[in-house]
Amino acid sequence: MDVRLDVFSSGRFPRWGKGLKLGVGLLLGASLSACGDPDWQGTDWTKNYQDNFETRISARAALMPGSTDQAYQPSPDGTPNSPVAYHAPSMLSYEDRPLNENIAGSLELSDYVKAIQVAKLDPWISGPGPYTLFAFPNAAMERLSARWPGGLLAPANRGQLTHILGYTIAYGKWDEAALRKAIQHNHGHAIGLKTLYGDLLGVQLSPQKGELILENTAGQINRLGSRSFPQSNGILYFTQDTLLPVPVLRPASAGSKNGHH
């Protein structure tokens, strides 16, 4: 688990710059340790998957959010039309299953799941972790993909896709209570979570409502769409929109050849 406090400088939360100016990287508690960037060449994926025999069995599950119930529209001409045909199936997140299995059971995250598979990041979120996943819902993922010629999942855009999705995977197990406690220990200032490729993802409390929000170093934000969902290898959140790492990635037509800066 890796967290840095007061490391960013942004327009919305200017106090993020304090730690950066002092050159101080703070770690939260003795239990936090540094995690390196993924070593793709040296990773044995056959040993990276979660061992079911080491997982505590639990019957607890929570209903994940979805928008499929909004598909039903009453017939304008009075023709018999039943909302039963548009029934939204229950999408459950099981606490004894890993991130990759639970997100695969969510219709709301189908585009995100496909992108994770295309970027070949699913082995990471199937392993022991722990990781905290800030998953993009379908509508937000589709808006983001449309900004790239041929779509973000096109082979030419694989570098950008991998970097963007890596920014949604943070080291450590960070539910709401853990995030709020870390912010409180940092005197109410934003904290920075280390993500898969080393980019720092900021977490701050909204000045208006006290809600947890995500922020990059450019001051752009992304709100969380619901509560957190415990996983056997971490924590799952649904976000309301997308958030890119900084430097801001540009579509291939703008001259960016890959997503690694």
Side-chain angles (χ1 to χ4, degrees):
M1 187 184 301
D2 203 312
V3 60
R4 301 183 186 182
L5 311 181
D6 257 344
V7 293
F8 289 173
S9 177
S10 73
R12 185 176 179 84
F13 301 109
R15 295 188 70 93
W16 284 33
K18 180 181 178 182
L20 185 61
K21 294 177 182 177
L22 295 177
V24 178
L26 302 179
L27 294 179
L28 176 63
S31 63
L32 303 184
S33 59
C35 300
D37 292 342
D39 181 2
W40 289 99
Q41 302 301 322
T43 300
D44 182 359
W45 297 122
T46 63
K47 298 179 180 179
N48 195 51
Y49 286 82
Q50 177 177 280
D51 188 340
N52 291 334
F53 292 102
E54 296 179 358
T55 302
R56 178 176 296 180
I57 301 301
S58 171
R60 290 182 297 184
L63 187 64
M64 293 185 287
S67 58
T68 55
D69 55 339
Q70 301 173 6
Y72 171 71
Q73 296 291 333
S75 176
D77 59 1
T79 303
N81 186 10
S82 172
V84 175
Y86 297 88
H87 174 68
S90 297
M91 294 174 286
L92 296 175
S93 173
Y94 297 92
E95 294 188 14
D96 63 349
R97 305 313 307 149
L99 285 156
N100 67 309
E101 291 188 18
N102 279 321
I103 65 174
S106 169
L107 294 177
E108 187 65 22
L109 298 179
S110 58
D111 289 338
Y112 178 82
V113 170
K114 176 63 176 179
I116 285 284
Q117 294 170 346
V118 169
K120 301 186 185 304
L121 293 180
D122 44 322
W124 287 100
I125 59 176
S126 65
Y131 298 108
T132 297
L133 193 68
F134 299 96
F136 300 153
N138 290 335
M141 193 71 199
E142 291 166 8
R143 288 194 300 269
L144 178 66
S145 181
R147 294 167 53 183
W148 270 262
L152 188 52
L153 273 62
N157 301 321
R158 192 63 46 81
Q160 291 96 328
L161 175 69
T162 303
H163 193 183
I164 291 171
L165 295 181
Y167 197 51
T168 69
I169 305 172
Y171 290 104
K173 195 168 187 175
W174 294 99
D175 59 14
E176 296 103 320
L179 290 173
R180 289 181 182 277
K181 185 176 181 180
I183 293 172
Q184 181 181 14
H185 284 183
N186 199 35
H187 309 290
H189 303 156
I191 62 171
L193 305 181
K194 186 178 180 181
T195 58
L196 201 57
Y197 291 102
D199 302 285
L200 291 175
L201 176 64
V203 185
Q204 175 63 293
L205 294 177
S206 165
Q208 291 79 24
K209 299 182 180 180
E211 301 171 322
L212 289 167
I213 58 176
L214 308 178
E215 184 181 22
N216 63 19
T217 54
Q220 299 164 330
I221 67 170
N222 189 6
R223 299 185 183 278
L224 301 180
S226 66
R227 49 162 285 193
S228 64
F229 296 88
Q231 314 284 289
S232 62
N233 62 346
I235 296 291
L236 169 64
Y237 288 93
F238 287 65
T239 67
Q240 293 186 16
D241 211 326
T242 59
L243 187 66
L244 306 187
V246 175
V248 176
L249 301 178
R250 296 180 179 178
S253 61
S256 176
K257 296 182 178 179
N258 58 61
H260 300 279
H261 297 265

